[in-house]
Structures are given as structure tokens and as C-alpha cells.
Amino acid sequence: MRGRRMFLLGAAAAALGACRAATPEQQVAALSPSAGAVDMRRLQTRRFDTADQALMMQSAVGALQDLGFTIQETDMATGVLVANKARGGELRAQVTVRRLPDDMGTAMRATFQKVLHRPGAMLPVGRTLDDPALYQGFFERVSQSAYLTANDI
């Protein structure tokens, strides 16, 4: 019994010894985005000069439908849109629209993922696509749709 207590005490001391405070440099590094993450966010995000969030959501819906996606979910209050496309492999698009401070416009972020079904897994995994032409084409369609809608064309 005494040997078991000594073992547990030793294990607890070892576990506590492994938990040491992170240095300030480690804390900063953990909260700083990598260069790749910043580049990806830049690719996925566009700023528009209208504060009309509903117009931008409607434009994103139209652009995704033009690209062959089926809208699965929209939430105007939070500015979230999810769509799927089954042709040529399953793709998922997730779009967020948010108003910028001081009503100076809106920011739209789109993420396109290839859905990968793993054998034996209950849920599929999404691999984020990083093709600049895909995002450029989407945002061009959004811009066209916003212009046509805003001008009743």
C-alpha cells in the first residue's frame, strides 16, 4: 500500500513538473498567425464599399448558385451562408459577411473545401482549397451580382 502511494505521489510530482509556465516569446508565438494563414485569409476575404449586409448576402447566394452550388443554410442575423456542390467531387462553401466599423462597408470571407469521406469515420473531413482563381472568380461574381441588384438591372 505504501509503495502504491509513493508511486502515485511520484507520478503527480512528475506531471506537475512537466507543467511549467510558457515564456513570453512562446505566448506571443502561439497567438500570432503564421505567414501561410495570413496569405490564406487575404485570398479568402474581400472588402466591399456597401454597408448593406443583406445585399451582400443575396449577392453571395446568387454567385454560389451561378457556380452550381446548392444553398444549405443561411442566417442573415449572423451573416453566415453554407452551400454544397456534388458535381466533380463534393465541395462545401462557407461564407461570412460582416459590417465593418462605422458603416464603412462590409467584409466577406469565403472558404471552399473539398469534402473527404474517410472509411469507417462517421463525419467527413474538409480540405481547404487554396486556388486563387476559384476565390477570384467567386468574388467577381459577387461584385457583379451586387452591382446588378443595387441598380435594379
Side-chain angles (χ1 to χ4, degrees):
M1 190 62 140
R2 183 169 188 236
R4 185 173 180 196
R5 279 189 185 157
M6 291 302 288
F7 173 75
L8 291 174
L9 185 60
L16 288 175
C19 297
R20 63 175 200 257
T23 66
E25 294 82 18
Q26 291 171 327
Q27 292 173 358
V28 168
L31 297 175
S32 299
S34 67
V38 171
D39 290 341
M40 185 60 107
R41 185 174 33 227
R42 188 176 299 122
L43 176 70
Q44 296 173 340
T45 306
R46 290 292 183 281
R47 183 188 181 285
F48 294 93
D49 290 331
T50 177
D52 189 346
Q53 186 174 355
L55 169 68
M56 296 313 300
M57 286 287 288
Q58 182 180 356
S59 299
V61 166
L64 287 170
Q65 288 175 333
D66 288 348
L67 293 169
F69 283 84
T70 302
I71 307 304
Q72 300 296 315
E73 182 178 336
T74 59
D75 186 348
M76 293 296 274
T78 59
V80 175
L81 166 63
V82 179
N84 288 339
K85 180 178 180 178
R87 255 179 296 163
E90 189 175 347
L91 296 177
R92 177 176 42 227
Q94 299 167 335
V95 178
T96 58
V97 178
R98 65 181 172 85
R99 185 171 296 144
L100 295 174
D102 300 326
D103 288 334
M104 297 300 294
T106 54
M108 181 179 293
R109 184 169 183 183
T111 304
F112 292 93
Q113 296 178 324
K114 178 143 181 79
V115 178
L116 305 171
H117 297 279
R118 298 173 299 162
M122 293 180 69
L123 297 173
V125 173
R127 183 179 54 83
T128 302
L129 303 177
D130 59 1
D131 180 12
L134 175 65
Y135 291 94
Q136 183 66 32
F138 169 72
F139 287 119
E140 284 176 2
R141 287 180 188 265
V142 168
S143 294
Q144 291 171 353
S145 179
Y147 176 79
L148 294 173
T149 303
N151 293 295
D152 293 323
I153 298 175

